[in-house]
Amino acid sequence: MGRRYYCDYCDRSFQDNMHNRKKHLFGVQHHRAKKAWYDYFRDSSAILCDEQLKKPCRKFLQKGICDFGPNCRFSHMSEEDMFHLQRQVEDRRMPGRCVEDWLSRREKRRSALGNQGDLKDKDDSEEVQEESDIPPQLLSVHDLPPSLLPPPPSGWKGKVNSEWG
């Protein structure tokens, strides 16, 4: 049996040769799956901007379903959905709630603590409190590997092995 090509976007595999791969990569199904994958990671402000430019889909509003689905050139968002999306964008723009602001504050705090040398108990409790103030944008990402998940509020439930350090 020959080599097989696996497409992550489409979640399918086929015999790997130039004809099959070219046919798949230029196919409509592959383009739709690839667009859906990248749309999943789009910024909410970009989605809001696109949806505000579109007119509402009459068929979707009347029947609750549209034959074109995600490929429809009209908006499938209700006014309530638009309101929630706009609120999400506004919440994200609030000062002090931005991921970049949080990262810069965290880096400044760590460099200041590193320059001081020994840490006091008070500093440790302040750091734990500030570390738990993680922006909601970071917590909304699903399927994070365990190494990137924030620690639980009560701390990790494991014993420290003294042999390691």
Side-chain angles (χ1 to χ4, degrees):
M1 194 162 151
R3 292 182 0 189
R4 297 196 59 83
Y5 177 80
Y6 178 75
C7 177
D8 288 317
Y9 300 115
C10 302
D11 193 27
R12 62 183 291 209
S13 66
F14 49 87
Q15 186 178 5
D16 188 22
N17 60 41
M18 189 174 71
H19 174 73
N20 288 348
R21 190 184 290 202
K22 194 173 189 179
K23 186 177 177 183
H24 174 76
L25 293 177
F26 288 106
V28 174
Q29 181 183 4
H30 176 74
H31 283 278
R32 285 182 183 166
K34 187 176 173 183
K35 182 183 181 311
W37 173 259
Y38 284 105
D39 283 348
Y40 179 76
F41 298 104
R42 284 183 63 201
D43 188 32
S44 54
S45 59
I47 295 171
L48 179 65
C49 183
D50 287 348
E51 291 296 323
Q52 286 176 334
L53 295 175
K54 295 179 182 178
K55 294 180 180 178
C57 180
R58 287 189 297 166
K59 195 168 196 176
F60 187 78
L61 292 176
Q62 290 172 352
K63 297 184 178 181
I65 192 165
C66 175
D67 296 335
F68 295 102
N71 297 323
C72 184
R73 66 181 197 179
F74 298 106
S75 176
H76 290 174
M77 290 191 133
S78 66
E79 288 185 27
E80 183 179 336
D81 294 337
M82 292 287 273
F83 174 75
H84 288 302
L85 189 59
Q86 190 161 7
R87 191 167 175 179
Q88 183 181 15
V89 169
E90 289 170 358
D91 287 347
R92 190 153 191 242
R93 289 184 182 160
M94 285 176 39
R97 301 299 290 173
C98 183
V99 174
E100 290 82 13
D101 293 341
W102 178 78
L103 286 172
S104 65
R105 284 194 320 265
R106 180 175 179 242
E107 186 61 33
K108 286 177 187 175
R109 193 171 51 246
R110 286 188 175 217
S111 64
L113 291 175
N115 293 339
Q116 291 175 357
D118 294 333
L119 299 175
K120 299 178 182 176
D121 292 335
K122 184 179 179 183
D123 291 340
D124 287 342
S125 65
E126 287 176 5
E127 183 179 345
V128 170
Q129 182 182 6
E130 290 175 5
E131 290 289 332
S132 66
D133 186 30
I134 298 173
Q137 294 91 340
L138 295 179
L139 298 176
S140 65
V141 178
H142 302 292
D143 302 330
L144 282 176
S147 62
L148 297 179
L149 290 173
S154 61
W156 299 111
K157 305 248 192 278
K159 294 181 180 179
V160 178
N161 191 347
S162 60
E163 295 175 13
W164 292 347

